[in-house]
Amino acid sequence: MTTPEIPSGKRKELENYDEDNSKKSKIECSDDSTLVDSPGQEDTAENHFTDETLAEKISGEAKEVDDVQSTPLPNTCGKLLISGGTNWDLVGRKEAPKYAANAGGPNLWEPHSISSLSNIRVQLVASGPSACHSIIICEDGTVMSFGRNDNGQLGHGDMVRCDKPKIIDSLKHYTIVQASCGKAHTLVLTAEGILFGFGGNKMAQLGQGHQKPVVAKPVQIVHPTNKKIIKAVCGAEFSMLIDENNLLYSFGRPEHGQLGHNTDGQYFVTANKLSFDCEVLPRHVAVFVEKTKDGFTHIMDDVKVVDASCGNNHTIVRDSKDRVFTWGFGGYGRLGHQQPKDELIPRLVSFLKGKSVSSVHAGSSFSMALSMGQLYFWGQTKSTGDATMYPKPVRDMSGWDVRSVGCSKTSIVLAADESVVSWGPCPTYGELIVQPLEGVYIQQVACGLGHTLYIARDDEKDRPLLDKIPVYDPEKV
């Protein structure tokens, strides 16, 4: 793993990261290929609630969410900054598709503010390791989106790329508190615990009971027993939700067992053609196990899920006892079980047992966990060399107060102490360049496939530094 890039004012003499015991993993060939699909072009009018019908349906069901265990929102707002690739049609592809409207934006080689958001304070940003689009939640709970939109993942009712952040009109009457982005779909959660999804649905990742390829406007994802939802996260082509009882549900593509139902969903359509039996509605992930050193498997019946994160094809969760479970695609050691094989049901990460993990994070082919001031890493951020097959401390970050973690396809960006720290293999689109943020207090970071979003504290004492940050105007692209 590449040594983190640490700001000059915060350098510490720490032990080098030791990978002597790491083992070589099998070569992964599915992740990159998931980034070049052509957009679905079918009509999206059928099987949708109208805005009026949806609002009427939900108004009778919405209630306040109290006394539930979930990852809290940041309690402060600030100014949005962005760095990295802004040519949304090209990022992650060898060439822009023929339907691309124009050449797209430039690579931002240092953090910029966005001109249209100069007077808007932001409380949360979201993207994902396979996403070329982003969600912005403003201070008042209004939700905006921008970026790639070839599957309607921006929720505006069309499939037109949006360079400038735009309010999602059909959600403007809701207070949005959380969001997550997959490769071509998006989930957003309201303060009342109502979950909406939009975008690509070819693999049923929107949980609508069908596999209509494109759902370009927000539709409600209904809990099987009408419970409130406290968190939702996206993989590349699958989704997870946690309800008020801390039960986990999954839906979408099951190819590597990432849904946790003890199957990869594969079946033969013909003698030499495989297909997948996708989960079209949210299904309870019922079994969590621990495998002991003597080869026995024990079912754990006391698991209450409080946090979750998804890579392209794997899932990592934390329960109420601060234990960590992983499952799905095992390539590059991203599951942390010391073997590069797929796991079809949630399995306890034994190397973190007793570590009191406080948060979990997933990149495309790696995982991270934070425990009592120590950051752990396993998996791989590049396609060559040895993988880290089980959780190891990131020595260079020992003792740092890490408050936010952004995981991309290959890049990692942290907000820690008074600094922003980044690392990953080159070349990049500029998402790793954090030196210009020296002295700027970053409250939250989020990474997309080739870009990084930051929420900078904007108190009066911070404004002189923020005023020096260059401005990106998407309308001049």
Side-chain angles (χ1 to χ4, degrees):
M1 188 174 71
T2 308
T3 302
E5 174 188 340
I6 300 176
S8 58
K10 288 292 297 179
R11 293 200 179 277
K12 299 182 178 183
E13 294 184 4
L14 297 167
E15 180 181 353
N16 289 332
Y17 187 51
D18 178 14
E19 294 186 332
D20 289 343
N21 294 322
S22 62
K23 298 182 179 180
K24 204 134 189 172
S25 73
K26 66 182 180 182
I27 297 298
E28 172 187 21
C29 39
S30 64
D31 282 1
D32 288 342
S33 63
T34 63
L35 300 175
V36 295
D37 288 352
S38 298
Q41 298 295 330
E42 295 189 15
D43 176 54
T44 62
E46 297 178 6
N47 298 319
H48 287 197
F49 293 118
T50 64
D51 293 345
E52 293 78 15
T53 303
L54 186 58
E56 181 180 350
K57 174 180 173 61
I58 294 170
S59 63
E61 299 175 352
K63 298 178 182 178
E64 291 297 325
V65 178
D66 297 314
D67 301 324
V68 293
Q69 300 182 62
S70 64
T71 303
L73 277 171
N75 56 12
T76 52
C77 298
K79 188 178 185 68
L80 179 68
L81 307 176
I82 182 172
S83 64
T86 63
N87 187 341
W88 309 114
D89 288 324
L90 182 60
V91 171
R93 294 166 168 163
K94 294 181 179 180
E95 59 182 24
K98 294 179 180 179
Y99 60 79
N102 56 51
N107 288 343
L108 302 178
W109 295 105
E110 60 180 309
H112 285 59
S113 62
I114 298 177
S115 58
S116 61
L117 301 180
S118 59
N119 296 317
I120 296 177
R121 303 188 77 227
V122 174
Q123 65 165 298
L124 187 139
V125 288
S127 192
S130 60
C132 292
H133 68 289
S134 302
I135 296 293
I136 300 169
I137 301 176
C138 303
E139 185 175 25
D140 63 356
T142 301
V143 63
M144 310 176 78
S145 62
F146 68 106
R148 186 180 292 178
N149 194 34
D150 48 12
N151 283 270
Q153 57 262 51
L154 300 186
H156 301 310
D158 57 34
M159 291 185 285
V160 179
R161 191 187 74 215
C162 186
D163 296 314
K164 176 183 175 181
K166 178 181 176 182
I167 292 174
I168 302 176
D169 285 336
S170 58
L171 295 176
K172 62 185 179 183
H173 299 300
Y174 297 94
T175 299
I176 305 301
V177 296
Q178 192 247 320
S180 184
C181 300
K183 171 194 165 189
H185 76 290
T186 306
L187 302 179
V188 296
L189 184 66
T190 73
E192 295 82 15
I194 302 166
L195 182 64
F196 292 95
F198 41 93
N201 189 51
K202 185 178 180 181
M203 293 295 168
Q205 58 264 51
L206 296 181
Q208 295 300 300
H210 59 75
Q211 291 179 244
K212 191 175 182 68
V214 173
V215 179
K217 277 192 173 183
V219 290
Q220 186 184 1
I221 299 172
V222 180
H223 188 283
T225 59
N226 295 317
K227 299 296 183 182
K228 302 180 188 71
I229 297 167
I230 62 172
K231 185 163 187 175
V233 291
C234 298
E237 295 180 305
F238 69 101
S239 305
M240 298 274 168
L241 64 84
I242 305 170
D243 71 11
E244 61 183 322
N245 293 331
N246 299 110
L247 299 179
L248 184 71
Y249 290 78
S250 64
F251 44 100
R253 186 181 187 122
E255 181 179 0
H256 298 282
Q258 60 263 44
L259 300 186
H261 302 310
N262 199 29
T263 177
D264 60 8
Q266 294 188 36
Y267 67 92
F268 282 99
V269 178
T270 62
N272 58 357
K273 182 181 178 180
L274 275 173
S275 188
F276 301 98
D277 187 13
C278 298
E279 291 292 343
V280 298
L281 291 169
R283 178 182 172 187
H284 181 212
V285 181
V287 178
F288 292 75
V289 302
E290 178 181 9
K291 293 186 179 180
T292 62
K293 293 181 179 179
D294 54 10
F296 290 98
T297 299
H298 300 288
I299 295 177
M300 307 176 72
D301 57 4
D302 60 345
V303 176
K304 294 184 176 182
V305 177
V306 297
D307 194 12
S309 185
C310 297
N312 280 7
N313 295 301
H314 77 290
T315 305
I316 175 171
V317 303
R318 176 176 66 91
D319 77 349
S320 59
K321 296 185 177 182
D322 296 333
R323 298 172 297 192
V324 175
F325 298 82
T326 60
W327 64 97
F329 189 27
Y332 296 151
R334 73 197 71 187
L335 301 184
H337 301 310
Q338 227 175 357
Q339 295 177 335
K341 69 175 185 177
D342 296 357
E343 294 286 346
L344 305 183
I345 56 176
R347 176 181 171 185
L348 182 72
V349 181
S350 59
F351 294 94
L352 292 175
K353 191 174 181 179
K355 297 293 186 183
S356 296
V357 171
S358 57
S359 65
V360 292
H361 311 274
S364 173
S365 56
F366 61 90
S367 303
M368 305 184 80
L370 189 63
S371 171
M372 297 180 288
Q374 180 61 64
L375 186 68
Y376 291 86
F377 172 94
W378 61 101
Q380 194 165 12
T381 58
K382 52 187 178 181
S383 58
T384 59
D386 291 338
T388 302
M389 301 301 293
Y390 59 91
K392 286 188 176 182
V394 181
R395 302 295 184 186
D396 286 339
M397 296 306 302
S398 295
W400 288 59
D401 179 18
V402 178
R403 62 184 166 275
S404 185
V405 178
C407 297
S408 180
K409 179 178 173 63
T410 60
S411 301
I412 299 169
V413 182
L414 311 176
D417 290 349
E418 303 296 319
S419 304
V420 181
V421 181
S422 66
W423 71 93
C426 291
T428 70
Y429 298 93
E431 70 270 21
L432 287 175
I433 300 176
V434 298
Q435 296 95 328
L437 292 174
E438 188 77 26
V440 177
Y441 187 87
I442 299 299
Q443 298 172 144
Q444 189 216 337
V445 297
C447 290
L449 177 62
H451 68 286
T452 303
L453 301 166
Y454 316 82
I455 298 179
R457 189 179 62 193
D458 60 350
D459 294 345
E460 186 173 349
K461 64 181 180 181
D462 301 304
R463 289 171 190 165
L465 279 176
L466 292 178
D467 289 342
K468 295 179 180 179
I469 291 176
V471 178
Y472 169 55
D473 186 353
E475 293 185 334
K476 293 183 178 179
V477 171

